[in-house]
């Protein structure tokens, strides 16, 4: 009997890797290290509290009702219909639930699907660093070239002159993310108008990653591209129920786009996942009818942000305020000259707290001595984390 895991076996090299520089994601690495060292895990972006008790009850209700077979490829009609109502109510944009909304197996799948539907060999895609780590691999797998533009630290704003300079006849797509992971910044109305201006008269398609659309603070509005007709006409808008309803393990999201773009999106979607968890879709459709579940989300997380900030006000870390998401950046430049990857590792091993080094969100590992901490945690977890940070 042979075993595939035996050491020193000489296997033929059957695969020339399409992603030779890609390993295990930093989120998995840091979460495993946190578990190995019994550290408080503020690295990976998930809550340590459960979703609203009504949601699992609704899933059970629809399972017991026999909603356990394939959903329609585009998603359960009642869910798409209430999402159309929600989008119009919040952003003043009308989308046809039959032709312009598709339910996906999470936001990452939606992003991959949109990129696959559009990008061909040699096409260029502009992304802004620090960038969520799924963008570049998806571009490369589809033969595209990633054009990396850096947000301007410490405020992490877009330099629109550099965007103009980067656009050429090969530019096929621009990916934006607001509220932004990992920095917690949000794009303004002025940013949206500049995006509209630089894409005017081109065939550039936009992916607007808006998974944290409801987690925005200090009474700021969320400037979805759906608010801006000239942008909406060329955009895939992607969001996530996992982030909104504290159920990241359910992996259900959605994409909104004009019919001509959505038609191409669905051509890929049907052969990638075909359809998405049926009882969960029915449950979400019913749950969304209670608007406070998402309209109050910003206040809910702002209380956590403010609580965490107040707890660490005596720490030696320098705070970079989060305007959205459930991530808080802390600079350790007054504490160490180490690389952020080394410092993050030391915090786990020596102090028992896990974070994400922001340099991993850059192609060239740009290091500003900044770590990302997730505050989507119970108060007791934040208190334990703050006690550690205050001692460093």
């Amino acid at each position: 009997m042979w075993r595939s895991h035996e050491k020193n076996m000489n296997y033929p090299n059957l695969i020339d890797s399409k992603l030779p520089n890609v390993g295990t994601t930093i989120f998995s690495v840091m979460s495993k290290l946190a578990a190995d060292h019994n550290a408080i895990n503020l690295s990976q972006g998930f809550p340590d509290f459960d979703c609203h008790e009504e949601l699992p009850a609704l899933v059970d209700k629809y399972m017991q009702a026999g909603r356990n077979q394939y959903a329609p490829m585009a998603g359960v009609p009642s869910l798409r219909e209430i999402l159309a109502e929600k989008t119009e109510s919040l952003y003043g944009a009308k989308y046809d639930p039959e032709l312009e909304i598709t339910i996906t197996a999470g936001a990452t799948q939606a992003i991959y699907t949109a990129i696959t539907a559009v990008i061909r060999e040699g096409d260029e895609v502009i992304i802004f660093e620090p960038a969520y780590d799924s963008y570049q691999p998806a571009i490369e797998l589809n033969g595209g070239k990633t054009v990396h533009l850096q947000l301007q630290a410490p405020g992490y704003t877009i330099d629109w002159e550099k965007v103009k300079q980067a656009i050429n006849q090969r530019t096929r797509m621009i990916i934006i993310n607001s509220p932004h992971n990992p920095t917690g910044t949000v794009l303004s109305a002025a940013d949206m108008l500049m995006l509209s201006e630089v894409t005017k008269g081109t065939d550039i398609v936009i992916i607007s990653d808006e998974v944290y659309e409801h987690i925005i603070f200090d009474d700021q509005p969320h400037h979805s591209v759906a608010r801006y007709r000239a942008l909406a006409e060329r955009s895939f808008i992607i969001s996530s129920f996992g982030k909104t309803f504290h159920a990241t393990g359910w992996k259900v999201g959605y994409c909104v786009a004009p019919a001509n773009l959505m038609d191409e999106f669905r051509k890929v979607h049907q052969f990638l996942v075909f359809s998405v968890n049926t009882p969960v879709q029915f449950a979400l459709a019913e749950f969304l009818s209670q608007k406070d579940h998402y309209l109050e989300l910003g206040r809910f997380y702002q209380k956590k942000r403010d609580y965490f900030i107040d707890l660490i006000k005596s720490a030696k870390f320098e705070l970079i305020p989060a305007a959205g998401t459930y991530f808080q950046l802390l600079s350790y430049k007054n504490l160490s000259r180490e690389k952020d990857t080394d410092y993050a590792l030391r915090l786990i091993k020596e102090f028992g707290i896990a974070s994400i080094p922001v340099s991993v969100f850059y192609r060239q590992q740009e290091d500003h001595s900044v770590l990302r901490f997730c505050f989507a945690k119970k108060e007791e977890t934040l208190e334990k984390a703050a006690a550690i940070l205050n001692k460093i």
Side-chain angles (χ1 to χ4, degrees), residues 105-136:
T108 302
Q109 183 247 307
I111 291 166
Y112 184 89
T113 303
I115 290 170
T116 302
V118 175
I119 298 305
R120 291 179 169 85
E121 190 77 29
D123 286 344
E124 294 187 0
V125 181
I126 294 173
I127 70 171
F128 299 96
E129 295 183 321
Y132 185 62
D133 68 344
S134 79
Y135 300 160
Q136 181 174 339

Tab-separated table of all heavy atoms in Angstrom, residues 105-136:
chain	number	residue	atom	x	y	z
A	105	ALA	N	-22.306	32.733	-2.875
A	105	ALA	CA	-21.742	32.008	-1.733
A	105	ALA	C	-20.671	32.875	-1.071
A	105	ALA	O	-19.483	32.546	-1.056
A	105	ALA	CB	-21.172	30.672	-2.179
A	106	GLY	N	-21.108	33.998	-0.539
A	106	GLY	CA	-20.197	34.942	0.088
A	106	GLY	C	-19.709	35.999	-0.886
A	106	GLY	O	-19.843	35.871	-2.108
A	107	ALA	N	-19.124	37.064	-0.319
A	107	ALA	CA	-18.645	38.182	-1.131
A	107	ALA	C	-17.408	37.808	-1.948
A	107	ALA	O	-17.245	38.273	-3.081
A	107	ALA	CB	-18.350	39.383	-0.243
A	108	THR	N	-16.524	36.983	-1.394
A	108	THR	CA	-15.308	36.619	-2.122
A	108	THR	C	-15.651	35.886	-3.409
A	108	THR	O	-15.036	36.110	-4.460
A	108	THR	CB	-14.379	35.765	-1.246
A	108	THR	OG1	-14.056	36.503	-0.060
A	108	THR	CG2	-13.098	35.419	-1.970
A	109	GLN	N	-16.651	35.010	-3.357
A	109	GLN	CA	-17.091	34.336	-4.585
A	109	GLN	C	-17.650	35.336	-5.583
A	109	GLN	O	-17.401	35.229	-6.792
A	109	GLN	CB	-18.141	33.276	-4.270
A	109	GLN	CG	-18.585	32.493	-5.528
A	109	GLN	CD	-20.028	32.760	-5.926
A	109	GLN	OE1	-20.940	32.626	-5.107
A	109	GLN	NE2	-20.264	33.125	-7.190
A	110	ALA	N	-18.395	36.305	-5.083
A	110	ALA	CA	-18.969	37.317	-5.973
A	110	ALA	C	-17.866	38.126	-6.653
A	110	ALA	O	-17.952	38.428	-7.855
A	110	ALA	CB	-19.896	38.236	-5.188
A	111	ILE	N	-16.835	38.485	-5.904
A	111	ILE	CA	-15.712	39.238	-6.468
A	111	ILE	C	-15.010	38.409	-7.549
A	111	ILE	O	-14.730	38.893	-8.652
A	111	ILE	CB	-14.722	39.634	-5.350
A	111	ILE	CG1	-15.364	40.685	-4.430
A	111	ILE	CG2	-13.408	40.154	-5.940
A	111	ILE	CD1	-14.624	40.880	-3.123
A	112	TYR	N	-14.744	37.151	-7.231
A	112	TYR	CA	-14.085	36.275	-8.208
A	112	TYR	C	-14.935	36.123	-9.466
A	112	TYR	O	-14.429	36.169	-10.592
A	112	TYR	CB	-13.802	34.906	-7.586
A	112	TYR	CG	-13.038	33.985	-8.499
A	112	TYR	CD1	-11.644	33.990	-8.489
A	112	TYR	CD2	-13.688	33.137	-9.392
A	112	TYR	CE1	-10.921	33.172	-9.343
A	112	TYR	CE2	-12.972	32.313	-10.253
A	112	TYR	CZ	-11.593	32.336	-10.225
A	112	TYR	OH	-10.875	31.532	-11.080
A	113	THR	N	-16.230	35.957	-9.280
A	113	THR	CA	-17.135	35.778	-10.415
A	113	THR	C	-17.153	37.010	-11.310
A	113	THR	O	-17.095	36.902	-12.545
A	113	THR	CB	-18.551	35.463	-9.916
A	113	THR	OG1	-18.508	34.298	-9.077
A	113	THR	CG2	-19.513	35.227	-11.069
A	114	ALA	N	-17.225	38.188	-10.699
A	114	ALA	CA	-17.247	39.435	-11.479
A	114	ALA	C	-15.949	39.620	-12.258
A	114	ALA	O	-15.966	40.022	-13.428
A	114	ALA	CB	-17.498	40.624	-10.552
A	115	ILE	N	-14.828	39.331	-11.612
A	115	ILE	CA	-13.540	39.451	-12.295
A	115	ILE	C	-13.467	38.460	-13.458
A	115	ILE	O	-13.064	38.802	-14.580
A	115	ILE	CB	-12.381	39.228	-11.302
A	115	ILE	CG1	-12.297	40.404	-10.324
A	115	ILE	CG2	-11.049	39.045	-12.035
A	115	ILE	CD1	-11.343	40.188	-9.165
A	116	THR	N	-13.883	37.231	-13.223
A	116	THR	CA	-13.846	36.204	-14.261
A	116	THR	C	-14.747	36.559	-15.443
A	116	THR	O	-14.427	36.277	-16.606
A	116	THR	CB	-14.264	34.842	-13.673
A	116	THR	OG1	-13.386	34.521	-12.591
A	116	THR	CG2	-14.197	33.734	-14.715
A	117	ALA	N	-15.875	37.186	-15.151
A	117	ALA	CA	-16.821	37.552	-16.210
A	117	ALA	C	-16.268	38.622	-17.139
A	117	ALA	O	-16.686	38.709	-18.303
A	117	ALA	CB	-18.132	38.036	-15.590
A	118	VAL	N	-15.325	39.420	-16.662
A	118	VAL	CA	-14.874	40.600	-17.411
A	118	VAL	C	-13.439	40.482	-17.922
A	118	VAL	O	-13.148	40.839	-19.068
A	118	VAL	CB	-15.012	41.873	-16.536
A	118	VAL	CG1	-14.433	43.092	-17.244
A	118	VAL	CG2	-16.470	42.106	-16.161
A	119	ILE	N	-12.537	39.999	-17.082
A	119	ILE	CA	-11.102	40.114	-17.370
A	119	ILE	C	-10.607	39.019	-18.301
A	119	ILE	O	-10.855	37.828	-18.102
A	119	ILE	CB	-10.302	40.109	-16.050
A	119	ILE	CG1	-10.702	41.310	-15.193
A	119	ILE	CG2	-8.800	40.134	-16.323
A	119	ILE	CD1	-10.573	42.654	-15.888
A	120	ARG	N	-9.871	39.481	-19.337
A	120	ARG	CA	-9.231	38.576	-20.285
A	120	ARG	C	-7.711	38.767	-20.228
A	120	ARG	O	-7.226	39.681	-19.577
A	120	ARG	CB	-9.726	38.861	-21.705
A	120	ARG	CG	-11.187	38.499	-21.943
A	120	ARG	CD	-11.598	38.842	-23.382
A	120	ARG	NE	-12.894	38.286	-23.737
A	120	ARG	CZ	-14.054	38.872	-23.473
A	120	ARG	NH1	-14.078	40.051	-22.844
A	120	ARG	NH2	-15.194	38.290	-23.828
A	121	GLU	N	-7.021	37.904	-20.920
A	121	GLU	CA	-5.556	37.953	-20.966
A	121	GLU	C	-5.072	39.350	-21.343
A	121	GLU	O	-5.501	39.917	-22.351
A	121	GLU	CB	-5.040	36.948	-22.002
A	121	GLU	CG	-3.540	36.732	-21.982
A	121	GLU	CD	-3.085	35.849	-20.842
A	121	GLU	OE1	-3.865	34.988	-20.412
A	121	GLU	OE2	-1.937	36.029	-20.384
A	122	GLY	N	-4.203	39.912	-20.506
A	122	GLY	CA	-3.594	41.213	-20.787
A	122	GLY	C	-4.361	42.410	-20.281
A	122	GLY	O	-3.844	43.535	-20.299
A	123	ASP	N	-5.602	42.218	-19.814
A	123	ASP	CA	-6.358	43.351	-19.259
A	123	ASP	C	-5.725	43.822	-17.957
A	123	ASP	O	-5.202	43.017	-17.171
A	123	ASP	CB	-7.809	42.935	-18.967
A	123	ASP	CG	-8.646	42.790	-20.228
A	123	ASP	OD1	-8.213	43.295	-21.284
A	123	ASP	OD2	-9.733	42.191	-20.150
A	124	GLU	N	-5.799	45.127	-17.716
A	124	GLU	CA	-5.255	45.694	-16.485
A	124	GLU	C	-6.375	46.056	-15.518
A	124	GLU	O	-7.434	46.548	-15.924
A	124	GLU	CB	-4.414	46.939	-16.791
A	124	GLU	CG	-3.154	46.622	-17.582
A	124	GLU	CD	-2.230	47.829	-17.741
A	124	GLU	OE1	-2.576	48.921	-17.227
A	124	GLU	OE2	-1.172	47.673	-18.378
A	125	VAL	N	-6.108	45.775	-14.237
A	125	VAL	CA	-7.075	46.064	-13.177
A	125	VAL	C	-6.385	46.895	-12.105
A	125	VAL	O	-5.355	46.480	-11.554
A	125	VAL	CB	-7.640	44.779	-12.551
A	125	VAL	CG1	-8.666	45.114	-11.471
A	125	VAL	CG2	-8.250	43.874	-13.617
A	126	ILE	N	-6.937	48.051	-11.809
A	126	ILE	CA	-6.378	48.923	-10.777
A	126	ILE	C	-6.979	48.552	-9.428
A	126	ILE	O	-8.207	48.464	-9.280
A	126	ILE	CB	-6.671	50.406	-11.085
A	126	ILE	CG1	-5.925	50.842	-12.356
A	126	ILE	CG2	-6.296	51.301	-9.911
A	126	ILE	CD1	-6.277	52.239	-12.831
A	127	ILE	N	-6.099	48.309	-8.448
A	127	ILE	CA	-6.539	48.114	-7.071
A	127	ILE	C	-5.755	49.071	-6.181
A	127	ILE	O	-4.696	49.587	-6.570
A	127	ILE	CB	-6.364	46.665	-6.586
A	127	ILE	CG1	-4.877	46.306	-6.415
A	127	ILE	CG2	-7.049	45.685	-7.538
A	127	ILE	CD1	-4.659	44.952	-5.728
A	128	PHE	N	-6.277	49.312	-4.992
A	128	PHE	CA	-5.657	50.265	-4.070
A	128	PHE	C	-5.117	49.530	-2.843
A	128	PHE	O	-5.844	48.788	-2.178
A	128	PHE	CB	-6.678	51.334	-3.651
A	128	PHE	CG	-7.190	52.138	-4.812
A	128	PHE	CD1	-8.377	51.805	-5.442
A	128	PHE	CD2	-6.456	53.226	-5.290
A	128	PHE	CE1	-8.847	52.532	-6.525
A	128	PHE	CE2	-6.913	53.965	-6.377
A	128	PHE	CZ	-8.108	53.612	-6.999
A	129	GLU	N	-3.832	49.737	-2.597
A	129	GLU	CA	-3.174	49.093	-1.460
A	129	GLU	C	-3.078	50.037	-0.251
A	129	GLU	O	-2.866	51.230	-0.443
A	129	GLU	CB	-1.759	48.665	-1.848
A	129	GLU	CG	-1.696	47.608	-2.919
A	129	GLU	CD	-0.255	47.192	-3.198
A	129	GLU	OE1	0.645	48.054	-3.207
A	129	GLU	OE2	-0.046	45.999	-3.396
A	130	PRO	N	-3.242	49.437	0.952
A	130	PRO	CA	-3.385	48.020	1.260
A	130	PRO	C	-4.716	47.472	0.770
A	130	PRO	O	-5.744	48.120	0.929
A	130	PRO	CB	-3.292	47.974	2.790
A	130	PRO	CG	-3.724	49.342	3.250
A	130	PRO	CD	-3.258	50.287	2.188
A	131	ALA	N	-4.681	46.286	0.156
A	131	ALA	CA	-5.864	45.734	-0.502
A	131	ALA	C	-6.215	44.366	0.068
A	131	ALA	O	-5.329	43.576	0.431
A	131	ALA	CB	-5.620	45.607	-2.005
A	132	TYR	N	-7.501	44.088	0.109
A	132	TYR	CA	-7.967	42.764	0.524
A	132	TYR	C	-7.287	41.712	-0.338
A	132	TYR	O	-7.121	41.897	-1.548
A	132	TYR	CB	-9.486	42.692	0.398
A	132	TYR	CG	-10.075	41.408	0.917
A	132	TYR	CD1	-9.944	41.049	2.257
A	132	TYR	CD2	-10.761	40.545	0.066
A	132	TYR	CE1	-10.481	39.862	2.735
A	132	TYR	CE2	-11.305	39.358	0.538
A	132	TYR	CZ	-11.156	39.020	1.867
A	132	TYR	OH	-11.692	37.851	2.329
A	133	ASP	N	-6.913	40.597	0.264
A	133	ASP	CA	-5.968	39.690	-0.390
A	133	ASP	C	-6.537	38.827	-1.504
A	133	ASP	O	-5.781	38.149	-2.208
A	133	ASP	CB	-5.277	38.800	0.652
A	133	ASP	CG	-6.221	37.807	1.320
A	133	ASP	OD1	-7.445	37.980	1.215
A	133	ASP	OD2	-5.714	36.859	1.956
A	134	SER	N	-7.845	38.828	-1.723
A	134	SER	CA	-8.391	37.975	-2.794
A	134	SER	C	-8.358	38.647	-4.163
A	134	SER	O	-8.508	37.962	-5.189
A	134	SER	CB	-9.837	37.574	-2.474
A	134	SER	OG	-10.744	38.620	-2.762
A	135	TYR	N	-8.167	39.960	-4.212
A	135	TYR	CA	-8.284	40.665	-5.491
A	135	TYR	C	-7.220	40.221	-6.491
A	135	TYR	O	-7.540	39.808	-7.611
A	135	TYR	CB	-8.165	42.181	-5.296
A	135	TYR	CG	-9.193	42.834	-4.400
A	135	TYR	CD1	-8.948	44.085	-3.820
A	135	TYR	CD2	-10.419	42.232	-4.114
A	135	TYR	CE1	-9.876	44.708	-3.002
A	135	TYR	CE2	-11.352	42.849	-3.295
A	135	TYR	CZ	-11.074	44.082	-2.738
A	135	TYR	OH	-11.979	44.692	-1.928
A	136	GLN	N	-5.954	40.321	-6.120
A	136	GLN	CA	-4.881	40.040	-7.074
A	136	GLN	C	-4.878	38.597	-7.567
A	136	GLN	O	-4.755	38.372	-8.789
A	136	GLN	CB	-3.512	40.401	-6.480
A	136	GLN	CG	-2.371	40.144	-7.467
A	136	GLN	CD	-1.020	40.619	-6.964
A	136	GLN	OE1	-0.941	41.462	-6.078
A	136	GLN	NE2	0.045	40.084	-7.535
